[in-house]
Amino acid sequence: MSTDIKFAITGVPTTPSSNGAVPLRRELRDLQQNYPEQFNLYLLGMRDFQGLDEAKLDSYYQVAGIHGMPFKPWAGVPSDTDWSQPGSSGFGGYCTHSSILFITWHRPYLALYEQALYASVQAVAQKFPAEGGLRAKYVAAAKDFRAPYFDWASQPPKGTLAFPESLSSRTIQVVDVDGKTKSINNPLHRFTFHPVNPSPGDFSAAWSRYPSTVRYPNRLTGASRDERIAPILANELASLRNNVSLLLLSYKDFDAFSYNRWDPNTNPGDFGSLEDVHNEIHDRTGGNGHMSSLEVSAFDPLFWLHHVNVDRLWSIWQDLNPNSFMTPRPAPYSTFVAQEGESQSKSTPLEPFWDKSAANFWTSEQVKDSTTFGYAYPETQKWKYSSVKEYQAAIRKSVTALYGSNVFANFVENVADRTPALKKPQATGEESKSTVSAAAAHAVELSGAKEVAEKVHNVFQHAEEKAQKPVVPVKDTKTESSTAAGMIIGLSIKRPSKLTASPGPIPESLKYLAPDGKYTDWIVNVRAQKHGLGQSFRVIVFLGEFNPDPETWDDEFNCVGRVSVLGRSAETQCGKCRKDNANGLIVSGTVPLTSALLQDIVGGELQSLKPEDVVPHLRANLKWKVALFNGDEYNLEEVPDLKISVASTEVTIDEEGLPHYSRQYTVYPEITEGKPCGHGPEDHI
């Protein structure tokens, strides 16, 4: 490719209204339900976009390829990295993962995607017949079209799955450009390469076998198994919602919020990051398919919906913390625009994204505000408010509406509405796959469904009674109630009346756990070498017993959450990843624990959230395992620099139900000491 090609990244050309208003990027399900013409155009536009000649710079194939494979320069921007390997192009890619540029680099990347998709949407709208005003209707809808996002952390609408059918279905209904309703191959489900293997060497052998993108591929046939995604997302939704709420309302430093690189000075309260949560979604939705590998993830249509949501979460956080932005850091390796060791900062060029003049690259400082590219989000319509204070209050209200106001309110919504708030008895042998999963799948059909609901109600009644009298210590933390009713996952039952949300910030039956609105919040912190295994892996945290078969871990009821590490092999062509591997880069992540502890309290297994009760409970019941993305267990003691720790901080809930974190964290080595890779009293946190 010629080095004098310069492709200007403009996003959708937009003239803001007199008050500064710009069109909104909308949530996928909102777009489908409330803006059907734009949703229809989205599907037809994606079909058109994916069908463009792969040699075009703004084709779906070329735009997706910027993120990794086929590791070729885009728009005349080479790399100074040369590996001098047989078959290598010498190009090291544009990777910014685990760096200060992670979320800012992806903004102009998404603007390029939106720019190209918008062009396809406009072209499609013009193809509708003029008769009956059909073309005029779609042309009008196309004008304000923006790329949608999938909010994987919000509660799915009642009666729907955590992973929308519009993403998992192989076919989908549209009104086509001839005006007729028909079924088409769903462009949100997969991207089909055309030709199947575009150029020799574009993909490694592991990926060139697939004619289209896949999710949770069958090990033998390679067939996509999208049905795996919804239960996995649902099973860890409480942890995910709490993590997002924690990031948006607790983190105040851009560096800590944005990316997952660990250093010895990391505060125990800063192990999490938006990049860490982002990694979990790549893992949970990819399942060793395209989404779970950074080298090919951008070819999956889900990638764009996911990353637009990541961009949205950054927009929300940035407008809550307008004075916090990136701290300059040394560049980890040489690029076309920087030499190794030079400072990376808000002025660092975001290659390969030429700005509107096509003379310079965009910088992080220039893309800090999303309206630069002609869009905002439902939560970031700042033009509606007369002051920054009023605007930020509205953002916080939106965040709490989506992700819960506090851990107690979240618990009621996440657990009581969706599943019995009890642990299910875990089978520990081969029978668990058939017996337990069958019980889960057919629980509603069983005659005991009514009895199950009654037992759950009784447990919540027990919690209500506890709220009315002093807490009496118990000798045995495993009571009968831990075996009641918990055999089912995903059974929709009516929320017990004794645990209904109250007008105040904390449900009445749980107020005794937070006297004066104060309680102790608990997290698990994880760190490990990113590329230490030469592949991606996940650290899964459990509270209680679980099946030893790793095939079941994704939907174990006692699974609290995970930290997903998107590692690469030593042979990767990614220049930054090679350098990070050589330097032993360590990354970190956080798994919130408090919601799981509330389950144990309501189930009668734990007395309170106070350290004197929680520490021995976690010492006895907190466990963790490591699994590769193909589902195989990996010996966690062989994971370089893997260290698991537990920390807590004091939280105060205000009158509106908003949590205020003290940010002073206590670490408890007595919980993890002596366990495999557990943090001990002499270890650096």
Side-chain angles (χ1 to χ4, degrees):
M1 183 182 291
S2 171
T3 58
D4 60 359
I5 300 172
K6 294 185 177 180
F7 192 103
I9 312 300
T10 62
V12 178
T14 305
T15 301
S17 300
S18 58
N19 65 350
V22 294
L24 303 182
R25 289 177 173 175
R26 301 188 183 277
E27 211 278 334
L28 177 68
R29 290 159 290 196
D30 176 42
L31 191 73
Q32 183 176 10
Q33 180 70 26
N34 299 313
Y35 304 88
E37 288 82 15
Q38 287 194 345
F39 181 72
N40 193 66
L41 286 170
Y42 174 45
L43 296 172
L44 298 179
M46 281 292 286
R47 181 180 66 174
D48 181 83
F49 183 24
Q50 292 176 1
L52 294 178
D53 185 340
E54 294 180 353
K56 289 177 52 109
L57 270 179
D58 56 350
S59 68
Y60 187 90
Y61 181 83
Q62 289 269 349
V63 173
I66 293 171
H67 202 260
M69 291 181 184
F71 286 106
K72 294 180 179 179
W74 185 84
V77 185
S79 169
D80 292 340
T81 308
D82 184 358
W83 303 121
S84 302
Q85 285 188 329
S88 169
S89 67
F91 175 73
Y94 307 112
C95 176
T96 60
H97 298 93
S98 301
S99 88
I100 198 169
L101 304 178
F102 165 66
I103 55 176
T104 59
W105 182 91
H106 281 83
R107 178 159 285 175
Y109 187 32
L110 292 170
L112 169 61
Y113 156 76
E114 189 169 54
Q115 180 178 334
L117 175 58
Y118 184 83
S120 284
V121 165
Q122 303 309 304
V124 164
Q126 293 291 343
K127 293 180 180 179
F128 280 89
E131 293 81 4
L134 198 59
R135 181 186 301 164
K137 180 174 72 171
Y138 278 103
V139 167
K143 181 180 178 182
D144 287 340
F145 174 83
R146 295 296 185 272
Y149 60 92
F150 167 41
D151 185 4
W152 23 256
S154 63
Q155 283 281 15
K158 295 283 186 180
T160 67
L161 297 174
F163 192 62
E165 189 177 353
S166 60
L167 298 176
S168 63
S169 176
R170 295 184 63 84
T171 60
I172 197 165
Q173 292 278 352
V174 298
V175 178
D176 212 340
V177 293
D178 58 4
K180 297 179 180 179
T181 300
K182 61 184 69 172
S183 178
I184 65 170
N185 289 328
N186 186 359
L188 308 185
H189 176 261
R190 64 193 178 280
F191 168 66
T192 299
F193 298 94
H194 53 93
V196 171
N197 198 0
S199 300
D202 270 15
F203 292 96
S204 65
W207 296 110
S208 60
R209 64 179 287 220
Y210 296 109
S212 63
T213 56
V214 293
R215 302 165 190 157
Y216 284 87
N218 182 288
R219 291 200 191 196
L220 297 178
T221 66
S224 193
R225 297 181 296 164
D226 291 64
E227 68 276 4
R228 292 287 309 278
I229 302 174
I232 291 171
L233 285 177
N235 195 46
E236 298 176 42
L237 183 60
S239 172
L240 189 58
R241 295 184 78 212
N242 290 338
N243 228 342
V244 169
S245 180
L246 182 72
L247 285 168
L248 295 179
L249 299 178
S250 169
Y251 281 54
K252 303 299 179 184
D253 177 75
F254 176 88
D255 295 1
F257 166 80
S258 63
Y259 71 110
N260 68 349
R261 178 187 291 262
W262 176 88
D263 70 53
N265 297 315
T266 299
N267 184 288
D270 292 335
F271 270 57
S273 65
L274 184 55
E275 184 174 13
D276 171 42
V277 174
H278 145 276
N279 290 349
E280 291 182 33
I281 302 304
H282 274 282
D283 175 14
R284 291 175 182 170
T285 61
N288 213 35
H290 287 75
M291 264 296 283
S292 57
S293 171
L294 293 178
E295 295 180 319
V296 293
S297 58
F299 290 99
D300 188 326
L302 176 59
F303 172 93
W304 306 101
L305 290 142
H306 167 42
H307 267 275
V308 174
N309 194 46
V310 172
D311 182 84
R312 166 181 160 268
L313 295 175
W314 171 33
S315 292
I316 291 171
W317 183 90
Q318 193 67 72
D319 284 359
L320 286 174
N321 303 274
N323 297 321
S324 180
F325 205 44
M326 57 180 61
T327 305
R329 305 274 173 157
Y333 78 114
S334 296
T335 69
F336 181 56
V337 293
Q339 294 298 312
E340 180 180 347
E342 289 183 3
S343 177
Q344 282 186 333
S345 68
K346 62 184 180 181
S347 301
T348 298
L350 301 175
E351 59 176 0
F353 306 121
W354 299 101
D355 65 14
K356 294 177 181 179
S357 71
N360 302 293
F361 295 108
W362 286 104
T363 67
S364 298
E365 177 69 15
Q366 292 172 324
V367 304
K368 187 178 178 183
D369 191 325
S370 71
T371 59
T372 299
F373 291 116
Y375 69 89
Y377 294 101
E379 301 84 3
T380 62
Q381 301 178 68
K382 62 184 70 176
W383 55 85
K384 289 186 172 183
Y385 304 95
S386 59
S387 68
V388 172
K389 182 178 180 180
E390 183 185 356
Y391 171 49
Q392 291 181 337
I395 293 178
R396 292 188 184 93
K397 186 175 181 180
S398 296
V399 169
T400 58
L402 286 168
Y403 309 117
S405 57
N406 58 73
V407 70
F408 300 101
N410 289 0
F411 173 73
V412 172
E413 186 176 2
N414 290 338
V415 182
D417 264 351
R418 295 286 169 175
T419 61
L422 294 172
K423 307 273 180 153
K424 69 174 165 56
Q426 296 293 322
T428 56
E430 288 299 317
E431 76 280 3
S432 67
K433 278 189 178 180
S434 58
T435 306
V436 175
S437 61
H442 302 293
V444 178
E445 300 173 10
L446 298 178
S447 59
K450 181 178 179 181
E451 180 184 355
V452 165
E454 289 175 351
K455 288 182 178 179
V456 173
H457 178 87
N458 290 339
V459 171
F460 284 115
Q461 175 71 38
H462 172 61
E464 176 71 9
E465 291 170 354
K466 287 170 64 179
Q468 307 301 324
K469 59 185 179 182
V471 174
V472 179
V474 295
K475 295 180 180 180
D476 184 7
T477 60
K478 297 292 181 182
T479 68
E480 284 186 1
S481 60
S482 67
T483 63
M487 302 186 59
I488 54 177
I489 301 174
L491 173 61
S492 179
I493 61 173
K494 183 178 180 180
R495 178 189 297 169
S497 60
K498 291 295 184 181
L499 199 65
T500 53
S502 64
I506 304 175
E508 286 294 332
S509 57
L510 298 178
K511 279 188 175 180
Y512 75 98
L513 296 172
D516 299 321
K518 299 180 185 295
Y519 74 96
T520 305
D521 193 64
W522 297 84
I523 57 174
V524 173
N525 284 329
V526 177
R527 61 176 171 90
Q529 272 196 39
K530 181 175 182 177
H531 305 291
L533 302 188
Q535 59 184 308
S536 296
F537 61 96
R538 62 183 71 105
V539 180
I540 304 178
V541 178
F542 303 92
L543 188 57
E545 298 303 319
F546 59 93
N547 192 312
D549 183 353
E551 287 289 326
T552 71
W553 291 350
D554 281 333
D555 53 12
E556 282 284 337
F557 196 81
N558 287 346
C559 172
V560 177
R562 72 181 67 192
V563 171
S564 302
V565 182
L566 304 184
R568 292 182 175 177
S569 73
E571 289 73 39
T572 179
Q573 200 168 326
C574 173
K576 180 181 182 302
C577 296
R578 281 177 169 264
K579 179 64 70 173
D580 288 344
N581 190 7
N583 292 337
L585 169 70
I586 296 176
V587 294
S588 65
T590 290
V591 176
L593 266 180
T594 309
S595 183
L597 292 172
L598 287 176
Q599 283 192 186
D600 285 356
I601 290 172
V602 170
E605 300 175 20
L606 178 64
Q607 289 296 111
S608 76
L609 292 174
K610 296 177 182 178
E612 56 264 33
D613 292 322
V614 172
V615 169
H617 184 71
L618 292 180
R619 177 67 190 176
N621 296 290
L622 187 67
K623 303 173 176 66
W624 50 86
K625 288 286 187 177
V626 170
L628 305 177
F629 275 20
N630 66 3
D632 292 343
E633 182 178 1
Y634 195 90
N635 185 347
L636 43 78
E637 294 190 275
E638 295 180 4
V639 179
D641 292 315
L642 176 62
K643 192 65 67 176
I644 313 293
S645 58
V646 174
S648 75
T649 189
E650 295 305 307
V651 181
T652 302
I653 299 175
D654 65 22
E655 293 181 355
E656 296 183 352
L658 289 174
H660 298 271
Y661 295 82
S662 72
R663 300 290 298 164
Q664 300 298 314
Y665 279 83
T666 301
V667 180
Y668 299 87
E670 61 267 38
I671 294 174
T672 50
E673 181 183 11
K675 296 184 179 183
C677 302
H679 170 76
E682 304 301 321
D683 293 331
H684 193 293
I685 185 59

